[in-house]
Amino acid sequence: MAEKKMKRIMVTGSVGQIGSELVPELRRIYGGDNVIALGRKTAPTPEVRDGGPFHFVDVTDKAGLMELAKKYKTDTIFHLAAILSAVGESNPMAAWEVGINGLINVLEVARECGAKNIFFPSSIGAFGPTTPRDKTPQDTIQRPSTMYGITKVTGELLCDYYNKKYGMNCRGLRYPGLISYVTPPGGGTTDYAVAIFYEALKNKKFTCYLKPDTSLDMMYMPDALKAAVDLMETDAAKLKHFNAFNVSGMAFTPEILAEEIKKHVPEFKISYQVDPVRQGIADSWPRSMDDSVARKEWGWKPKFDLAAMAKDMFAQLKKKQKEGKL
Ligand code: NAD
């Protein structure tokens, strides 16, 4: 087997929806002590806290980040800390502060201590109302209308800049809405697609804040974790883009998801109470992305479609319910 490119990995935002699952997966692959999880204020899951080093540090604190990067001789940073789309609209300056100043700190710390590998998750939020919404191409118009989107486009550009200017290895994906059962999502526009499963099991009904025919790209968390690791371990010679790859697992509307859920919970009923802020955001994002460039350059291929994702979500959530953890 080829030698791994990443050896000592720091993960910011490790208490969040992705980090809570990415950290244990990275520790499984690279060894517990080689994956340093960072959080801010919120308590981590026991796996993240106990499976290897864990520290609290704010990503706007460059000196704090530098100290840890040096202490652990970091060669890679997965930078997950962010303020997500819906929360960002209620506090745009906080979204800017974490999204831009946090990223600049991470890039500068990495540059100064020779940590060449950076993973930066962009988002479907990096697109906007003038982007082609169906089969959204890899390289296209990006004029987002949210502060979150502005931080993501800027982040994509900064990663390109650090690659070109300093010879760094910043790579990234444009994730769609992520569906998972370990840690709840952190205030994005696609959160309904997680909440609906919990409500279907607990109350057999769900009130959706998006209109029934709002199509958005989604992905199940195991595919999201695999995509990140696969991209980071791909030989540079294969890549033309490096950063901001479109990736999608499936695209569906609330009414299509509700039909899938009824296959598992036949009494399930969905109703709608549209939130104009989140509906407005969703209406400015792709209905479905073209991820053929990721497929071609580094072999991206999702394992989970809608049916497989829903089946696994219910199996996992029922297990949690039995253990009294729901
Ligand atoms: P999340 O909100 O669940 O977690 C983000 C974490 O960042 C939180 O634990 C929060 O405490 C932390 N954080 C916020 N401000 C911080 C600061 N100043 N210093 C240190 N930590 C801070 O988000 P997530 O869903 O895990 O997303 C991780 C990354 O992936 C983000 O960059 C997000 O934009 C991106 N992304 C997520 C999705 C999704 O559907 N979850 C989709 C596209 C892109």
Side-chain angles (χ1 to χ4, degrees):
M1 212 171 72
E3 197 192 341
K4 297 272 181 253
K5 293 184 172 45
M6 301 185 285
K7 296 194 166 54
R8 302 279 284 177
I9 306 170
M10 213 157 83
V11 184
T12 73
S14 73
V15 177
Q17 188 193 5
I18 301 179
S20 299
E21 298 196 49
L22 181 65
V23 166
E25 177 63 2
L26 291 174
R27 284 181 174 153
R28 186 184 67 74
I29 300 170
Y30 299 92
D33 289 344
N34 293 323
V35 180
I36 299 91
L38 308 181
R40 186 197 60 160
K41 292 185 188 160
T42 324
T45 61
E47 289 75 18
V48 169
R49 186 192 56 215
D50 303 331
F54 176 85
H55 295 272
F56 284 112
V57 65
D58 196 304
V59 294
T60 60
D61 169 13
K62 186 182 167 195
L65 282 174
M66 181 68 87
E67 194 185 319
L68 291 168
K70 281 188 176 156
K71 175 176 172 183
Y72 289 102
K73 300 187 171 52
T74 304
D75 60 46
T76 302
I77 305 178
F78 279 70
H79 177 45
L80 305 181
I83 306 282
L84 302 198
S85 58
V87 179
E89 285 315 283
S90 59
N91 194 346
M93 281 304 102
W96 176 269
E97 178 67 11
V98 179
I100 302 299
N101 295 338
L103 174 61
I104 279 283
N105 284 342
V106 165
L107 289 169
E108 279 297 287
V109 163
R111 184 179 69 79
E112 286 171 34
C113 54
K116 275 196 177 311
N117 310 315
I118 302 288
F119 176 81
F120 171 70
S122 187
S123 157
I124 49 173
F127 297 116
T130 50
T131 303
R133 294 187 64 205
D134 298 303
K135 295 203 174 7
T136 303
Q138 172 67 40
D139 302 307
T140 186
I141 302 161
Q142 290 181 263
R143 307 276 299 176
S145 50
T146 60
M147 183 56 91
Y148 177 69
I150 292 168
T151 67
K152 290 301 183 191
V153 176
T154 312
E156 291 181 4
L157 294 171
L158 283 169
C159 288
D160 286 347
Y161 182 80
Y162 273 69
N163 285 346
K164 193 159 174 259
K165 176 102 178 158
Y166 302 115
M168 287 181 53
N169 182 32
C170 304
R171 301 185 183 185
L173 305 168
R174 289 186 187 127
Y175 278 134
L178 299 181
I179 299 166
S180 67
Y181 54 85
V182 174
T183 299
T189 302
T190 52
D191 292 9
Y192 91 85
V194 177
I196 195 170
F197 283 94
Y198 285 78
E199 289 304 308
L201 264 190
K202 283 195 280 190
N203 303 315
K204 307 196 182 333
K205 61 181 182 181
F206 179 68
T207 305
C208 186
Y209 55 76
L210 294 181
K211 290 181 194 162
D213 61 350
T214 309
S215 179
L216 289 167
D217 284 288
M218 301 278 175
M219 188 185 291
Y220 197 33
M221 189 60 86
D223 279 331
L225 305 183
K226 185 170 184 308
V229 174
D230 285 357
L231 172 62
M232 293 304 284
E233 289 291 348
T234 295
D235 280 343
K238 291 189 180 162
L239 300 178
K240 281 204 186 98
H241 282 80
F242 279 85
N243 166 32
F245 282 96
N246 284 4
V247 280
S248 179
M250 60 198 93
F252 56 70
T253 64
E255 66 188 349
I256 289 173
L257 179 57
E259 284 311 307
E260 192 61 39
I261 284 177
K262 276 186 204 160
K263 293 179 189 165
H264 300 267
V265 183
E267 320 88 293
F268 178 71
K269 289 218 163 11
I270 188 163
S271 58
Y272 298 90
Q273 201 173 342
V274 173
D275 167 17
V277 174
R278 284 178 287 189
Q279 185 67 49
I281 296 174
D283 288 341
S284 75
W285 287 357
R287 281 186 281 258
S288 67
M289 276 190 294
D290 175 358
D291 59 8
S292 55
V293 170
R295 288 172 189 257
K296 197 171 148 208
E297 289 190 24
W298 52 276
W300 159 243
K301 194 166 182 260
K303 200 170 142 209
F304 288 88
D305 61 10
L306 172 57
M309 175 276 289
K311 187 170 171 231
D312 198 59
M313 273 298 277
F314 277 117
Q316 299 293 345
L317 288 177
K318 279 181 184 162
K319 212 160 102 191
K320 271 181 115 172
Q321 204 172 31
K322 258 196 188 152
E323 292 164 356
K325 291 181 184 161
L326 208 61

